[in-house]
Amino acid sequence: MSNNDGKNKVYVYIDEDLVDLIPGYMTNRKKDIEKILKALTKDDFEQIQLIGHSMKGNGSGYGFDQISEIGYFIEIAAKNKDKVAIEQQLGALEDYLNKVVVIYE
Amino acid sequence: MNKDKNEQQKIRPHIITDEINGSSLLIIDDDDDLRNLLVRKFMKKGFNVDDAHDVSVAKQKLLNNKYDLIILDLMMVPESGYVLFQFLIDNPQLKWISLIVLSGSSDVNDKIKCLQLGADDYVTKPFQFEEVNARVCRILTRAKEFEQLAFYDPLTGVFNRRYLENQMMIEIQRLERIPANMCISVFDIDRFKLINDRFGHSVGDIILQGLTAEVKKQLRQSDLLARYGGEEFIIFMPNTNEEDATLILDRILKEIRQLPLAKVGNENITITFSAGVAQYETDMTIKEWVDRADQLLYLAKDKGRNRVINWTDSNL
């Protein structure tokens, strides 16, 4: 569940029971960016596809629908070996991680 | 709070009934974040939750623990989730466990294949937890209802022959890995037809119910009581030798003789039974094992009823 205030922040409402899992989850997505960048240098599209696939699967469960969406596009782009599209999605992910504000409820 | 949030709040969370509260789930997924999320959420719902990060770990856990439902990812390394289906089908202990596939693949061929292989449901990622939970609750509730119909005798509430034979098969397979003694006793109410003829079948039914309730009280938690036929029952006793099994049956018979199981007018009705005790021997089939106990039961009848006879003492 997210809400963009139109400027810099994206507010996401998340179950307070997940409070201790969220920092690790965010860190892992940042690690995903590094892994994908590294895989891009080796044209390892299979690895990128797997990372995108996982991201697609886990994002919405936590409440980060946009991460699932980006994961989906990364998976498709990797399948098509489309480096430009992958880089675009990485930019979108980085931007989202910088803007997202989690509100526990 | 946006519109979606308001919409979602209108959905009533699925109620976990007492029947399925505390059910055990095994979550198999190689994505740590996803597994952690599902474990946390299902525990909060009142389930006992275990998890495995690959198929190999899942197999070990399935052999060593009891689960009511599996949530399985398909795309895993080194082994795909598909590998687990055959493992479950081949094992009589595991083939009844409900299974939901939770996969990132929305390919219709994957869905069909999984359902054909025995999955009860298929949910695609990304997912909404409350939907997965509702499906889990529905499948578990339905499974409990079927279990009641498929494995229990409706009159006495004890297990039926189908369940008994399945459990015997499981224990025989376990015995191949971990040698141990195990026994069965077939017992049959003496002159039960006379009771039915004299007092009517409703009194006969009360006696069957009273007998099973009393026998259950006398058994250990590991023993299993099943109705095998009309007034014939089997007690299955894992980790028990012939001598101990005979002592248990003698003790039960002694209790039953003294206990009125029904009252008609001023008359208290007591019964006796005859029993045969047979220990499992290597390479016996279930039929051979039950036949041996049955043979001993009829020997007990021939010798005057109201007694327990085991293989060693029978001179057969």
Side-chain angles (χ1 to χ4, degrees):
Chain A
M1 218 52 54
S2 64
N3 183 15
N4 195 329
D5 69 357
K7 289 183 181 173
N8 294 319
K9 298 295 175 195
V10 180
Y11 296 97
V12 178
Y13 300 88
I14 285 184
D15 188 342
E16 63 182 354
D17 290 319
L18 303 180
V19 66
D20 59 318
L21 295 181
I22 297 301
Y25 182 81
M26 292 303 196
T27 304
N28 286 340
R29 301 298 69 79
K30 284 172 187 162
K31 284 181 185 168
D32 283 345
I33 294 175
E34 289 165 22
K35 283 183 202 165
I36 290 173
L37 284 171
K38 199 174 167 188
L40 270 175
T41 63
K42 294 184 279 185
D43 286 345
D44 186 353
F45 293 105
E46 200 178 324
Q47 170 74 358
I48 297 169
Q49 197 179 330
L50 279 175
I51 296 170
H53 181 80
S54 287
M55 220 184 280
K56 176 185 82 175
N58 59 36
S60 286
Y62 278 89
F64 301 111
D65 291 349
Q66 209 160 332
I67 291 181
S68 278
E69 199 171 299
I70 291 168
Y72 168 75
F73 286 122
I74 289 175
E75 187 183 11
I76 297 289
K79 218 172 190 172
N80 295 331
K81 300 186 177 175
D82 185 343
K83 278 189 171 186
V84 175
I86 293 169
E87 280 163 356
Q88 277 175 354
Q89 292 305 320
L90 281 186
L93 178 59
E94 203 165 11
D95 187 47
Y96 178 75
L97 293 176
N98 287 332
K99 286 181 177 173
V100 72
V101 176
V102 175
I103 298 168
Y104 297 102
E105 53 179 13
Chain B
M1 208 174 287
N2 61 17
K3 185 170 174 275
D4 285 347
K5 181 100 189 136
N6 287 327
E7 286 299 317
Q8 192 165 357
Q9 281 193 338
K10 286 179 196 166
I11 301 168
R12 218 172 54 178
H14 199 92
I15 307 293
I16 308 237
T17 60
D18 287 347
E19 206 177 25
I20 60 168
N21 190 27
S23 295
S24 294
L25 312 183
L26 177 63
I27 294 163
I28 308 164
D29 200 304
D30 61 355
D31 182 338
D32 294 344
D33 287 320
L34 192 84
R35 242 181 23 257
N36 291 340
L37 171 76
L38 290 174
V39 169
R40 178 70 56 89
K41 291 253 190 185
F42 277 117
M43 281 176 83
K44 194 186 168 198
K45 292 284 182 186
F47 294 106
N48 291 316
V49 191
D50 200 356
D51 65 314
H53 69 276
D54 67 20
V55 171
S56 163
V57 172
K59 284 180 181 173
Q60 279 308 314
K61 291 199 169 194
L62 283 160
L63 289 174
N64 295 327
N65 306 297
K66 188 181 174 299
Y67 301 101
D68 298 298
L69 186 140
I70 296 166
I71 295 177
L72 176 67
D73 183 25
L74 284 184
M75 287 177 67
M76 289 188 287
V77 284
E79 285 179 298
S80 140
Y82 277 118
V83 175
L84 203 72
F85 282 102
Q86 198 56 47
F87 177 76
L88 295 172
I89 292 163
D90 288 342
N91 191 316
Q93 191 173 3
L94 305 176
K95 66 179 177 183
W96 305 106
I97 303 178
S98 301
L99 187 148
I100 296 179
V101 173
L102 183 58
S103 170
S105 169
S106 53
D107 185 335
V108 70
N109 293 315
D110 275 327
K111 294 178 186 177
I112 292 169
K113 192 173 171 187
C114 286
L115 293 167
Q116 283 175 338
L117 285 169
D120 296 285
D121 203 353
Y122 189 110
V123 181
T124 50
K125 301 172 189 169
F127 61 92
Q128 295 298 325
F129 174 75
E130 284 303 336
E131 182 194 338
V132 179
N133 179 56
R135 289 174 186 271
V136 165
C137 291
R138 183 69 203 117
I139 288 170
L140 283 173
T141 304
R142 180 63 64 89
K144 293 277 177 200
E145 288 165 0
F146 283 157
E147 190 182 297
Q148 196 66 33
L149 288 171
F151 295 139
Y152 289 88
D153 170 50
L155 176 68
T156 60
V158 301
F159 292 109
N160 62 15
R161 182 174 177 161
R162 184 188 292 123
Y163 184 82
L164 170 78
E165 290 181 348
N166 191 58
Q167 290 305 110
M168 287 168 80
M169 181 58 73
I170 290 166
E171 288 301 324
I172 288 171
Q173 287 187 353
R174 198 197 307 273
L175 215 68
E176 287 166 10
R177 302 196 307 272
I178 311 160
N181 295 315
M182 56 183 184
C183 280
I184 54 168
S185 174
V186 180
F187 68 96
D188 182 287
I189 299 174
D190 294 329
R191 302 188 193 283
F192 188 61
K193 188 175 179 304
L194 291 182
I195 294 171
N196 275 332
D197 289 347
R198 183 172 166 207
F199 300 108
H201 285 276
S202 58
V203 173
D205 287 350
I206 291 169
I207 286 174
L208 290 171
Q209 289 166 335
L211 171 68
T212 50
E214 196 54 37
V215 172
K216 275 202 285 189
K217 278 188 212 163
Q218 304 284 334
L219 294 178
R220 302 161 300 182
Q221 206 173 2
S222 56
D223 300 332
L224 189 156
L225 171 64
R227 189 174 180 193
Y228 205 65
E231 67 268 27
E232 191 171 272
F233 296 87
I234 291 190
I235 301 172
F236 174 47
M237 294 164 275
N239 298 312
T240 309
N241 62 27
E242 186 192 61
E243 191 183 347
D244 290 341
T246 308
L247 283 173
I248 290 169
L249 263 294
D250 275 329
R251 193 185 65 219
I252 293 171
L253 178 56
K254 194 177 163 192
E255 290 289 328
I256 292 294
R257 276 183 201 129
Q258 298 164 354
L259 193 73
L261 294 178
K263 192 171 184 178
V264 178
N266 290 325
E267 188 175 354
N268 284 322
I269 304 170
T270 56
I271 59 153
T272 61
F273 64 73
S274 305
V277 172
Q279 185 167 324
Y280 179 76
E281 288 175 11
T282 313
D283 295 334
M284 257 183 174
T285 64
I286 288 177
K287 185 178 181 309
E288 287 166 344
W289 192 12
V290 172
D291 282 351
R292 177 175 289 187
D294 226 16
Q295 199 182 350
L296 294 163
L297 158 65
Y298 283 98
L299 184 65
K301 295 269 188 197
D302 286 346
K303 283 182 178 287
R305 300 181 174 86
N306 189 15
R307 69 193 63 215
V308 179
I309 293 185
N310 65 35
W311 180 251
T312 307
D313 296 337
S314 69
N315 295 320
L316 286 175

